[in-house]
Amino acid sequence: MNERLFNFNAGPAALPLVVLEEIQSEMVNFRGSGMSILEVSHRSKWFEDVLDDAIARVGRLLKLDDRFEVLFLQGGASMQFAMAPMNLAPDGRPVDYVDTGTWSTKAIKEARILKKDVRVIASSEDREFTYIPKRIPVTGGASYVHITSNNTIRGTQWKSFPETGGVPLVSDMSSDIFSRAFDPAPFGLIYAGAQKNAGPAGVTLVVIRKDMLDRVPADLPTMLKYTTFAEKKSMFNTPPCFAIYVLQLVAKWLEETVGGIEAMEAVNKRKASLLYDYIDSEGFYRGTAEPESRSSMNVTFRLPSPELEQKFIAEALAANLGGLKGHRSVGGCRASIYNAVPMEAVEALVSFMKEFARTNG
């Protein structure tokens, strides 16, 4: 294949082409250093500038004030499933979780392994995780309320975040960070594996409210404490330099090319509407998420049979539309239309879907 395909993979996912081209241009000689970014010391001025700019841009994009720290960790969101309760859930206080699918379920499992008093206060398991619960009865005195803001496998997303009566929200935002504007004030912790919407695999963006750092137990292993990274500006040990560099370039693209989160959100709404409107208009395809809970990042749908789904995925790839296979746990089809997926890609997908329905209906 001599041309770039339209990439609908769920993660690692599409990156902006201009970011890839900037990486390419700097790869051998990074900003006059005579070295690649892969070789530059993390203690050098070159990397310090990258790190400082990444922190500043994340702060501006998410409208963070001085109450928040921006950290870059490793281990993905899966590591945060354990780190959050280890650091933020004092013994004797319950932790509230809302279970909206696979990744929420995994987070609950990790908290239970740590012997925390886990309360699953709401769940959408009764309808196969196809919706976001509306009633969220927060436990009095809970350490935090954990949610997964967007669910990649089932294609659901919180359209507004729950009222918690002052109990801090903790959210896995791996798949919709930077995709829409929201008020960060109620959040004690936000974490996001970068490989879906913010950068490449290898770095986890963590935004923590500084008052939450007071909860961190002194007897945790050093590398599992948020305070370790907050005190050393994410450089207690060698950080994932290349991944942070790419995240910084994605944040720069969002600020300087797209025009900020609000502008990005408007584009994302148009992309999602185009795809969902077509699915709803054509009986050949069936969306799997309940309409009011549909994700603007991961559009999940089925065809009349598994055989047709396999044919659809194969012919789509031949038509330069990649990554449309649904998660192995649920099957079907999925189009992940993250920030870096252009409107042109969604238009091409809808055009292909129309023709496929015409010839196979």
Side-chain angles (χ1 to χ4, degrees):
M1 184 177 292
N2 295 319
E3 59 179 314
R4 286 179 55 79
L5 57 68
F6 288 128
N7 182 359
F8 297 98
N9 279 305
L15 287 166
L17 180 58
V18 293
V19 168
L20 294 173
E21 289 172 340
E22 187 165 357
I23 294 166
Q24 183 182 48
S25 72
E26 295 185 325
M27 180 55 70
V28 175
N29 186 353
F30 177 67
R31 299 177 189 176
S33 67
M35 298 173 284
S36 166
I37 182 63
L38 296 166
E39 302 169 288
V40 167
S41 168
H42 65 294
R43 304 295 181 189
S44 69
K45 182 68 163 57
W46 291 293
F47 182 71
E48 184 179 5
D49 288 346
V50 168
L51 181 62
D52 287 344
D53 191 59
I55 292 169
R57 289 185 185 276
V58 169
R60 290 194 296 267
L61 285 168
L62 297 180
K63 293 183 169 54
L64 305 176
D65 57 30
D66 290 342
R67 291 174 294 172
F68 293 92
E69 292 271 5
V70 174
L71 308 176
F72 299 107
L73 278 61
Q74 299 181 66
S78 295
M79 178 68 81
Q80 296 304 306
F81 297 163
M83 280 188 71
M86 289 174 72
N87 282 263
L88 306 181
D91 291 339
R93 291 178 60 185
V95 286
D96 285 355
Y97 282 74
V98 180
D99 190 1
T100 50
T102 301
W103 306 114
S104 299
T105 306
K106 289 179 180 290
I108 290 165
K109 178 182 177 182
E110 294 300 304
R112 285 176 169 158
I113 288 172
L114 292 165
K115 309 298 183 187
K116 299 300 180 181
D117 179 8
V118 175
R119 314 283 179 89
V120 180
I121 57 173
S123 172
S124 52
E125 186 176 10
D126 62 325
R127 297 205 294 271
E128 297 184 331
F129 299 115
T130 57
Y131 71 99
I132 297 295
K134 291 183 177 179
R135 184 173 176 271
I136 313 296
V138 177
T139 303
S143 296
Y144 58 76
V145 177
H146 182 283
I147 63 171
T148 304
S149 60
N150 182 75
N151 303 283
T152 55
I153 294 175
R154 300 288 183 169
T156 64
Q157 184 179 32
W158 291 82
K159 298 305 179 184
S160 60
F161 297 118
E163 296 290 335
T164 61
V167 176
L169 275 169
V170 169
S171 183
D172 176 359
M173 292 193 182
S174 295
S175 51
D176 65 351
I177 192 76
F178 297 156
S179 72
R180 56 177 172 168
F182 66 93
D183 179 9
F187 291 87
L189 178 74
I190 295 166
Y191 60 91
Q195 69 273 11
K196 298 178 184 296
N197 213 40
V203 64
T204 306
L205 172 62
V206 171
V207 175
I208 188 165
R209 213 169 60 206
K210 291 177 182 177
D211 64 293
M212 303 295 281
L213 294 170
D214 296 335
R215 301 185 181 191
V216 177
D219 59 355
L220 289 182
T222 302
M223 288 296 291
L224 296 176
K225 293 196 290 189
Y226 291 126
T227 47
T228 297
F229 298 92
E231 291 165 2
K232 298 294 184 180
K233 204 170 75 172
S234 299
M235 291 205 296
F236 176 81
N237 66 331
T238 306
C241 299
F242 179 75
I244 293 171
Y245 159 67
V246 180
L247 187 149
Q248 178 246 336
L249 293 182
V250 171
K252 175 185 171 185
W253 169 76
L254 280 166
E255 276 200 294
E256 298 182 8
T257 302
V258 176
I261 296 295
E262 290 82 1
M264 189 75 257
E265 181 176 15
V267 173
N268 287 333
K269 285 180 177 178
R270 291 197 296 273
K271 291 188 297 184
S273 292
L274 177 64
L275 188 47
Y276 282 122
D277 287 350
Y278 172 67
I279 289 172
D280 290 342
S281 72
E282 172 60 72
F284 187 78
Y285 301 97
R286 175 179 60 85
T288 62
E290 297 187 11
E292 62 185 10
S293 296
R294 284 172 167 174
S295 169
S296 62
M297 295 284 98
N298 308 98
V299 179
T300 54
F301 58 97
R302 302 302 301 251
L303 278 70
S305 70
E307 293 75 23
L308 274 175
E309 289 168 352
Q310 292 177 12
K311 183 180 181 184
F312 174 88
I313 292 163
E315 292 188 6
L317 182 58
N320 223 31
L321 306 166
L324 290 166
K325 185 177 180 179
H327 192 271
R328 61 186 180 277
S329 66
V330 296
C333 299
R334 170 176 58 180
S336 296
I337 50 174
Y338 300 128
N339 287 353
V341 177
M343 178 64 79
E344 179 188 5
V346 180
E347 292 170 345
L349 174 57
V350 170
S351 178
F352 172 82
M353 291 172 74
K354 290 178 179 178
E355 180 62 17
F356 190 87
R358 186 186 69 80
T359 56
N360 292 275

